Amino acid sequence: MSLLQSSDTSMPVTFNRRDVWRLISPFFFLGGFSFRFLIQLIWLVTYGRTLESSTFQFSTPDFVYMFIFGMGCMLAASLIPFFNFPFLASPLVFMLIYVWSRNFPTASVSIMGLVSVEAFYVPFAFLGISLISGNDWLSDVLGILAGHLYYTLKVLLPAQGRQSLLETPQFVKNLVFASGIGTVNPREINPTNPGQAGFRAFRGRGQRLAG
């Protein structure tokens, strides 16, 4: 059953019961312990850490908003019958891989130590492995589509001189700054206490989200 269409987790029931956590919890389950579980956990740490420490090195709010945007896209897509997955952590990992592959398209990646491919093709190579191994490849497709939408709105359109359609909201920047996690440009913050913000701006880089 779909995350949003099932009798227990539909939008109306979710909000009527105030079970808003049901919209978040599906992104924290990668399945039972298995080889696929371990592989996806490795992908999450490896590619997430690389993105955070390079592409999003000086903008943790953008890194956080990438996940928020992807989660929103997947929740909306769950209304479509063939994307009605009860758990969405796996598509989220594939979205992360896709965004990483677009930021490092020429990097060489070894697939199970058997063959090396350019990073640009890595999401599709992993998708092929899912097909061959009989895993739920449609969930991988969902992650790739969400990643492509994010990268198009965030990078490709502005690179063509068009208006950016995916700016990180101010409240996300403020929340990340207030949490003291990662790196936030103090000039992008709209604090309620300017004096306190000036002090916190020099506390250092903080901690990375991915380890």
Side-chain angles (χ1 to χ4, degrees), residues 71-148:
M71 292 165 71
C73 289
M74 293 170 195
L75 287 172
S78 68
L79 293 170
I80 303 173
F82 50 84
F83 284 145
N84 59 348
F85 309 114
F87 303 108
L88 296 169
S90 183
L92 194 63
V93 170
F94 257 78
M95 174 188 170
L96 185 71
I97 294 172
Y98 185 91
V99 174
W100 172 85
S101 72
R102 267 44 193 170
N103 281 276
F104 303 93
T106 59
S108 180
V109 177
S110 176
I111 305 296
M112 296 184 177
L114 300 176
V115 62
S116 294
V117 299
E118 288 190 348
F120 187 87
Y121 304 103
V122 164
F124 307 105
F126 290 163
L127 175 60
I129 294 175
S130 292
L131 279 167
I132 295 172
S133 58
N135 290 318
D136 191 358
W137 58 273
L138 270 178
S139 66
D140 301 343
V141 171
L142 175 59
I144 290 174
L145 291 176
H148 181 70

